[in-house]
Amino acid sequence: MPKVSVIIPVHNTENYLSTCLNSVLNQTEKDIEVIAINDHSTDNSLDILKQFEKEYKTKLKVIDLKDKYGVSSARNEGLKIAQGNCIGFVDSDDVISLNMYEDLYNMINTYHVNIALAQFFRFEFDKLYLNKETFTNYHKQSYYITDYLKKRDMIFIESPAVWDKLFKHDSLEEIKFLDGHIYEDIAFSYIMLLKEEKSISYALNSCDDLKADYGYRDTPKSIMNSIYLVKEDVVDIIDIAEYALNLSEKFAFNELKTSLLKDVLRDSILRRIISINKWNISEEERELLKSKMLSIANVVINDIKEVEIYYGKFALFDKVRKLDYIDIKPLEKEKLEQEKTNLREKIKTLKENK
């Protein structure tokens, strides 16, 4: 059994894939397996994967999906065969420090915490960290364990991504990504953080200590940049929230964990609803879409109407218009799926008519 399994979904990233693979396959932690899932790429990504597979025969496994299933399904395929004591995820256009997984693995096993967190940085297109294709970070051996049930605001500070985390494999039993959806990391990450209750990361005593290990490539098509695009997938956040709440019941979350989960899901939903303000559509259309999103979300999280209190408590949206003036008409549960379908079709039509 290897110490670490790294799962990399790949779809049309031929320009960046070699850099990513070099940073993962040449980790200072040598007891590692890398599982790359080609999600029906139409460029040269599969050829690149096969070349690396020949060179790293004992370390790299390539799965070639014959149809495009999306990131969630690709990661789930990797989880099915991963053998590592710990599991990490890397996106195929990103890059990591050469010592990232050795450090995170040692943190988990030394301090007996099931999730270790790395710091991440964003870089534009081909402007890599310090202009180097690969890099190593030397951290001070000082760690911080976060207990989310004692320091409740910390759950809002953590990244909802999975790629900046290393998970103990045993802790991932009975959990997977929701197939066919974007924002898939949100349910996975927050459920894991609250289920395990604690995570470990490097203690940051000063700005000099902030040496990020995960490089997120900032491209026009990235999730971080696409949040303001007109897209029907924005409705996926409702499904993700519902999925997370179902998982919380499966794992028998107590009242405190459930409350924290609802709060952080509300945050995620409101962020997506607020992004509609930036869409290049008419004011009337924006108000209609936001109202529809709120009414659908109200079925999933029954106190989402407390927007004004939420603004004051967490101060997350102080530079955007508030939503409290929108008339929220909660839907009956049996109408939820049809309303989500109708909303997706409405947004799709708006996008096509732009």
Side-chain angles (χ1 to χ4, degrees):
M1 176 184 291
K3 290 182 178 178
V4 177
S5 295
V6 184
I7 297 171
I8 308 177
V10 179
H11 178 71
N12 290 351
T13 52
E14 61 179 1
N15 293 332
Y16 314 118
L17 183 55
S18 294
T19 298
C20 173
L21 292 173
N22 278 323
S23 72
V24 178
L25 289 164
N26 292 293
Q27 288 285 295
T28 55
E29 177 53 71
K30 301 304 180 186
D31 190 6
I32 189 173
E33 71 168 357
V34 180
I35 303 169
I37 303 94
N38 179 49
D39 188 22
H40 197 56
S41 295
T42 56
D43 63 1
N44 293 317
S45 293
L46 181 59
D47 292 335
I48 294 170
L49 289 173
K50 288 180 176 178
Q51 291 170 10
F52 272 85
E53 190 176 32
K54 289 179 181 178
E55 184 177 353
Y56 296 89
K57 294 179 181 178
T58 62
K59 191 174 290 188
L60 175 63
K61 300 175 183 177
V62 175
I63 300 174
D64 183 25
L65 302 179
K66 299 306 180 183
D67 293 300
K68 188 178 186 307
Y69 293 101
V71 173
S72 295
S73 297
R75 286 174 174 163
N76 287 334
E77 288 299 313
L79 282 172
K80 289 177 184 178
I81 66 169
Q83 299 294 315
N85 186 39
C86 291
I87 305 290
F89 301 91
V90 174
D91 285 354
S92 60
D93 53 353
D94 295 341
V95 62
I96 63 175
S97 73
L98 295 179
N99 55 300
M100 183 174 112
Y101 283 120
E102 180 180 15
D103 290 349
L104 295 181
Y105 181 84
N106 288 339
M107 290 158 64
I108 282 176
N109 283 275
T110 300
Y111 293 91
H112 306 292
V113 178
N114 287 339
I115 305 174
L117 309 183
Q119 298 293 326
F120 72 93
F121 63 94
R122 295 172 65 174
F123 64 97
E124 295 181 7
F125 301 102
D126 299 318
K127 297 179 181 178
L128 230 58
Y129 186 68
L130 299 178
N131 295 318
K132 296 179 180 179
E133 183 162 321
T134 57
F135 60 97
T136 303
N137 276 336
Y138 297 99
H139 301 277
K140 294 180 180 179
Q141 300 302 302
S142 178
Y143 309 103
Y144 184 81
I145 295 177
T146 300
D147 186 326
Y148 298 103
L149 303 189
K150 292 181 179 178
K151 296 191 174 182
R152 302 177 190 180
D153 287 349
M154 289 300 295
I155 194 69
F156 297 94
I157 295 173
E158 306 296 9
S159 157
V162 294
W163 37 251
D164 61 347
K165 300 172 179 66
L166 185 66
F167 302 92
K168 194 74 177 290
H169 196 166
D170 291 347
S171 70
L172 296 180
E173 291 182 2
E174 300 185 84
I175 185 171
K176 66 173 187 175
F177 296 91
L178 183 60
D179 289 328
H181 289 71
I182 64 171
Y183 315 125
E184 71 285 346
D185 289 24
I186 290 173
F188 195 102
S189 289
Y190 290 136
I191 283 291
M192 285 303 303
L193 291 172
L194 290 171
K195 181 171 79 74
E196 298 304 317
E197 301 181 10
K198 297 177 181 179
S199 70
I200 186 168
S201 58
Y202 284 105
L204 305 178
N205 299 317
S206 70
C207 292
D208 292 336
D209 291 333
L210 182 52
K211 293 185 176 180
D213 287 293
Y214 192 100
Y216 180 93
R217 191 182 298 271
D218 207 354
T219 68
K221 293 182 180 180
S222 69
I223 293 295
M224 287 187 181
N225 280 331
S226 66
I227 192 170
Y228 297 124
L229 299 178
V230 178
K231 55 182 182 178
E232 60 271 24
D233 289 346
V234 72
V235 186
D236 282 4
I237 192 61
I238 308 297
D239 293 331
I240 292 295
E242 191 169 47
Y243 177 62
L245 289 172
N246 288 337
L247 284 175
S248 71
E249 294 180 1
K250 178 178 181 179
F251 294 122
F253 275 20
N254 61 24
E255 185 177 349
L256 176 55
K257 287 185 181 181
T258 301
S259 175
L260 284 172
L261 178 63
K262 286 185 176 182
D263 280 347
V264 79
L265 290 175
R266 187 193 299 111
D267 173 17
S268 298
I269 290 172
L270 287 174
R271 286 176 184 273
R272 275 72 195 180
I273 294 174
I274 286 172
S275 74
I276 295 173
N277 284 333
K278 299 292 185 179
W279 289 7
N280 185 24
I281 56 179
S282 72
E283 181 72 14
E284 181 181 357
E285 288 167 339
R286 282 197 293 266
E287 299 308 301
L288 175 62
L289 294 182
K290 287 189 294 181
S291 180
K292 284 286 188 182
M293 281 282 287
L294 282 168
S295 65
I296 294 172
N298 194 67
V299 176
V300 179
I301 304 174
N302 60 18
D303 55 356
I304 197 169
K305 289 185 287 186
E306 297 175 8
V307 175
E308 188 72 43
I309 298 173
Y310 190 74
Y311 269 65
K313 185 176 180 182
F314 298 107
L316 292 171
F317 309 111
D318 50 357
K319 292 186 178 180
V320 288
R321 286 184 304 166
K322 297 178 181 179
L323 299 167
D324 53 344
Y325 64 90
I326 293 179
D327 181 28
I328 303 170
K329 297 178 180 178
L331 296 169
E332 296 176 12
K333 187 68 175 178
E334 58 268 21
K335 295 182 180 179
L336 178 60
E337 293 305 320
Q338 185 59 51
E339 286 294 326
K340 284 190 288 188
T341 299
N342 293 344
L343 184 55
R344 284 189 172 96
E345 289 299 318
K346 170 68 175 175
I347 297 173
K348 185 177 180 181
T349 300
L350 289 173
K351 182 172 65 175
E352 292 172 348
N353 292 336
K354 277 183 57 180

